[in-house]
Amino acid sequence: MAKDTLTVIDNRTNKSYEIPLMYGLYPTESSAIRATDLRQIKVSDDDFGVMTYDPAFMNTASCQSKITFIDGEKGILRYRGYPIEELAERSTYLETAYLILYGELPTKTELKNWTHDITFHTFIHENIKKFIDGFHYDAHPMGMLVSTVAALSTFYPDAKLIFNAESVKKQTYRLIGKMPTLAAFAYRHSQGMPYAYPDNDLSYTGNFLNMLFKMTELKYSPNTVLERALDILFILHADHEQNCGTNAMRGVGSSQVDPYSAVAAAAAALYGPLHGGANEQVLRMLTEIGSKDKVPTFIKKVKAGEGLLMGFGHRVYKNYDPRAKIIKQIADQVFEVTGRNPLLDIALELERIALEDEYFIKRKLYPNVDFYSGIIYQAMGFPVEMFPVLFAIPRTSGWVAQWEEMLSDPEQKIARPRQVYQGPAQRSFLPLEQRS
Ligand code: ACO
């Protein structure tokens, strides 16, 4: 019978080592070895042992997880086993967040309590308004969000009790409840508008729209199409296994810091243009292209290495990102309310040309989640600076779920990679006057 092991022969010593394999669901029949099993491979007793070298984690699993499944070749995304298409059609963001965090869809009572608990943690301390006031008028809202969520840890010292189930529950409510409030206040500050307080009668996304766009009316009533569209966008962004931001959440959280500080780190990672900042870059790119007839010239430039086609390509998806497909469908519903965003025509033309072009086909570059989301957000009235913020809000549930999974995993410790040192060997300090 075939054995579930690898045999490694060290040609330096002619010794042979048998290393056990472990299995996961993806890639099909995927197998992994424990990197520490390689440490027994040595040429002498004082040899450190063989390590693996994997910059950018191209082929390294940093954890075992039961939260999100992605098959990048086939373009499949599931949360806790449920296909993203079904959740987008039939669930709500808060229900999906519960599923991601606790592993099962909530019962009626559980959903009612969960919605109540999140809704009643949407207010922020009045002092937070004071330091939002301190930001420059043109401060990027993502910078404000990263700073204010980090600052929440100073308001809730009980957040340090990361192994206390009651405290973790409380911080989970607070994080998911307060992120939209911090984001909306950052937006209102950048617009020079007075802050609009949470309205507990509204849904999660309805209230967010209220805090963003409420003017002089006594009660804000969100447009139901836009409210639902935003809710679906939030479902699509809730988790995405071990991406750059989530890796930051787990890495920083592994030092056992409070979850607000870890979420701030994750949000900072998300801010980058190669990650959650990409939809902002997509919009800038589309605006710069300006019209459909300029698309071929732009594609030529990309192929010549003069910049990227933003919103295309993904580390994991080597097929159409399933989230991009759903977003493309929502676009029509949103445009019926807001009017068609003229940038859509440029995006469709870019997609059409790129998907037929050998350069993109060969590299398996397809539209990712960010390619169409920005066009919808812009049509809904969000300035481009708010795009990464609109990503960070729903991703918070995924970050917290991944953080909790990491804390309860007996195999996890403080995340601390090794390096392959290539610098100078030991040398002696030279006094300044002897240096040339
Ligand atoms: N436009 C043009 N060429 C691209 C693009 C692109 N958007 N993306 C990748 N390529 C090319 C690379 O130049 C490389 O070509 P080469 O083999 O000739 O050197 C090849 O495709 C492979 O690309 P890598 O950079 O090695 O792929 P990697 O997995 O490291 O990067 C990433 C993935 C960062 C998403 C990349 O595709 C990219 O920069 N895309 C644009 C930014 C973007 O849309 N990011 C959002 C990702 S989704 C998210 O984070 C939510």
Side-chain angles (χ1 to χ4, degrees):
M1 207 178 91
K3 285 210 267 177
D4 286 337
T5 59
L6 282 188
T7 298
V8 178
I9 297 169
D10 186 344
N11 294 322
R12 300 169 299 179
T13 57
N14 279 327
K15 272 197 198 162
S16 151
Y17 301 84
E18 192 171 344
I19 297 178
L21 286 164
M22 58 192 291
Y23 291 94
L25 264 184
Y26 178 77
T28 317
E29 289 174 41
S30 70
S31 49
I33 58 165
R34 284 175 188 276
T36 45
D37 281 346
L38 298 174
R39 288 279 291 281
Q40 58 183 308
I41 304 175
K42 300 178 175 197
V43 287
S44 63
D45 280 348
D46 55 1
D47 179 356
F48 184 77
V50 171
M51 296 186 287
T52 54
Y53 173 59
D54 188 8
F57 298 116
M58 295 296 287
N59 194 36
T60 293
S62 62
C63 62
Q64 301 191 53
S65 180
K66 295 181 174 158
I67 301 172
T68 291
F69 172 82
I70 302 175
D71 182 333
E73 295 296 328
K74 295 195 184 120
I76 293 174
L77 169 62
R78 295 182 203 134
Y79 299 153
R80 303 281 189 183
Y82 293 97
I84 192 67
E85 294 79 6
E86 279 186 41
L87 292 169
E89 194 184 324
R90 302 173 64 180
S91 187
T92 60
Y93 171 68
L94 278 190
E95 185 182 51
T96 298
Y98 184 99
L99 169 72
I100 287 173
L101 274 149
Y102 304 114
E104 294 297 336
L105 286 167
T107 62
K108 236 184 198 172
T109 316
E110 284 166 342
L111 183 60
K112 189 167 159 257
N113 292 340
W114 169 247
T115 306
H116 175 274
D117 290 333
I118 301 295
T119 308
F120 281 76
H121 284 90
T122 46
F123 274 71
I124 53 176
H125 195 287
E126 285 291 293
N127 284 0
I128 294 176
K129 279 182 8 193
K130 291 190 195 147
F131 54 77
I132 294 183
D133 285 343
F135 284 103
H136 210 334
Y137 72 95
D138 59 355
H140 197 292
M142 195 64 176
M144 291 193 254
L145 184 69
V146 168
S147 322
T148 48
V149 75
L152 285 186
S153 73
T154 66
F155 289 81
Y156 306 113
D158 58 320
K160 286 187 171 49
L161 306 172
I162 57 167
F163 295 111
N164 176 313
E166 272 315 300
S167 168
V168 168
K169 221 193 282 173
K170 199 67 162 292
Q171 314 319 323
T172 304
Y173 301 152
R174 285 174 175 154
L175 271 162
I176 297 176
K178 292 180 203 309
M179 281 295 265
T181 315
L182 296 176
F185 280 26
Y187 169 74
R188 301 282 286 207
H189 174 70
S190 64
Q191 301 293 306
M193 305 238 302
Y195 305 117
Y197 281 75
D199 180 343
N200 289 353
D201 295 339
L202 297 175
S203 72
Y204 190 74
T205 41
N207 172 49
F208 181 48
L209 291 169
N210 156 66
M211 293 187 290
L212 290 163
F213 300 128
K214 185 170 188 280
M215 300 300 282
T216 54
E217 64 272 44
L218 281 180
K219 192 152 180 83
Y220 179 85
S221 47
N223 177 293
T224 51
V225 173
L226 301 186
E227 182 184 5
R228 176 63 189 151
L230 193 58
D231 206 56
I232 296 173
L233 284 159
F234 278 11
I235 292 173
L236 302 183
H237 287 88
D239 194 54
H240 211 235
E241 53 120 301
Q242 306 313 313
N243 55 83
C244 181
T246 302
N247 186 52
M249 181 79 198
R250 281 183 174 256
V252 172
S254 77
S255 74
Q256 302 192 352
V257 73
D258 68 88
Y260 301 103
S261 303
V263 164
L270 192 69
Y271 192 3
L274 296 188
H275 191 12
N279 53 9
E280 185 176 341
Q281 299 304 323
V282 171
L283 243 269
R284 293 191 194 285
M285 172 189 78
L286 294 174
T287 312
E288 227 173 275
I289 295 173
S291 62
K292 234 169 104 173
D293 56 305
K294 306 235 173 68
V295 169
T297 317
F298 178 78
I299 295 271
K300 235 187 229 167
K301 277 191 184 164
V302 169
K303 285 163 62 180
E306 296 169 34
L308 293 169
L309 172 47
M310 297 310 287
F312 258 66
H314 199 276
R315 171 62 58 79
V316 180
Y317 292 118
K318 301 302 168 196
N319 199 325
Y320 214 102
D321 183 334
R323 301 168 299 174
K325 257 187 214 157
I326 300 169
I327 292 179
K328 221 172 146 184
Q329 291 159 10
I330 307 171
D332 292 331
Q333 296 158 26
V334 169
F335 294 154
E336 260 180 45
V337 177
T338 62
R340 193 178 161 87
N341 187 334
L343 294 181
L344 181 66
D345 294 325
I346 303 173
L348 288 170
E349 183 69 356
L350 269 175
E351 181 187 330
R352 190 186 67 75
I353 295 183
L355 293 185
E356 284 173 359
D357 192 295
E358 189 52 28
Y359 176 95
F360 297 91
I361 296 170
K362 206 174 105 200
R363 291 168 178 79
K364 297 188 178 174
L365 300 171
Y366 292 87
N368 60 48
V369 68
D370 289 321
F371 193 64
Y372 287 104
S373 61
I375 301 173
I376 299 185
Y377 290 145
Q378 191 186 48
M380 288 170 84
F382 293 107
V384 285
E385 292 77 22
M386 279 299 282
F387 296 177
V389 170
L390 293 166
F391 198 150
I393 295 170
R395 183 54 59 85
T396 303
S397 56
W399 287 332
V400 176
Q402 299 270 353
W403 170 74
E404 282 195 48
E405 189 177 63
M406 183 266 305
L407 288 180
S408 62
D409 181 346
E411 287 202 311
Q412 292 291 344
K413 294 172 172 227
I414 188 163
R416 203 307 188 179
R418 294 274 174 185
Q419 63 169 8
V420 180
Y421 178 69
Q422 305 284 16
Q426 184 177 332
R427 47 187 175 162
S428 279
F429 182 84
L430 271 188
L432 190 56
E433 57 277 9
Q434 290 177 27
R435 291 176 221 158
S436 54

